[in-house]
Amino acid sequence: QVQLVESGGGLVQTGGSLRLSCAASGRTFSNWVMGWFRQAPGKEREFLAALTWSGWIGSRTLYADSVKGRFTISRDNAKNTVYLQMINLKPEDTAVYYCAADPTAWGSRSADEYDFWGQGTQVTVSS
C-alpha cells in the first residue's frame, strides 16, 4: 500500500526558508512522478513542482511559474524521500502543502492526475 508522509512544515517569517520532506513507502518510486501541491483556505489545490527520473534520461523537473527560482524539488531514491526546499517565503505562501505520487502524471499540473496523496503539512509565513 502506497503511503506518503509529509514533514517539515511550520511557522516562518517573511524571507525565511523551510525544507519539506515526503517519505514514501509501499513500493519503489524511483521512476514515478512525485509532485508538490498546496492549498490555501478557500482556494483550489495548486501545483508547485514535480520530478521524475529514468535511467535513460535522468532527472526531470517541472515548476509552477509562481515558485520558479524560490522552490526546488529533489529526491533521494535510496531513502524513497522527496524534498521541497523553499526560500524567500512570502505570506501568500501560507497553505497546507501536499506531496503526491503517480506513475504516469508527468507533464500534468492537475491534482486530478495524481492517485496518491499525503496528509499535508501546514506552512505559515508571518509578515
Side-chain angles (χ1 to χ4, degrees), residues 103-114:
T104 62
W106 179 249
S108 174
R109 301 167 187 258
S110 171
D112 293 340
E113 295 297 322
Y114 286 79

Side-chain angles (χ1 to χ4, degrees), residues 61-78:
T61 57
L62 181 66
Y63 292 95
D65 289 342
S66 60
V67 303
K68 197 175 294 184
R70 295 193 301 126
F71 291 10
T72 303
I73 188 171
S74 62
R75 71 193 299 166
D76 184 333
N77 284 339

Side-chain angles (χ1 to χ4, degrees), residues 10-22:
L11 175 64
V12 65
Q13 291 185 333
T14 296
S17 302
L18 281 175
R19 188 178 80 157
L20 306 183
S21 299
C22 172

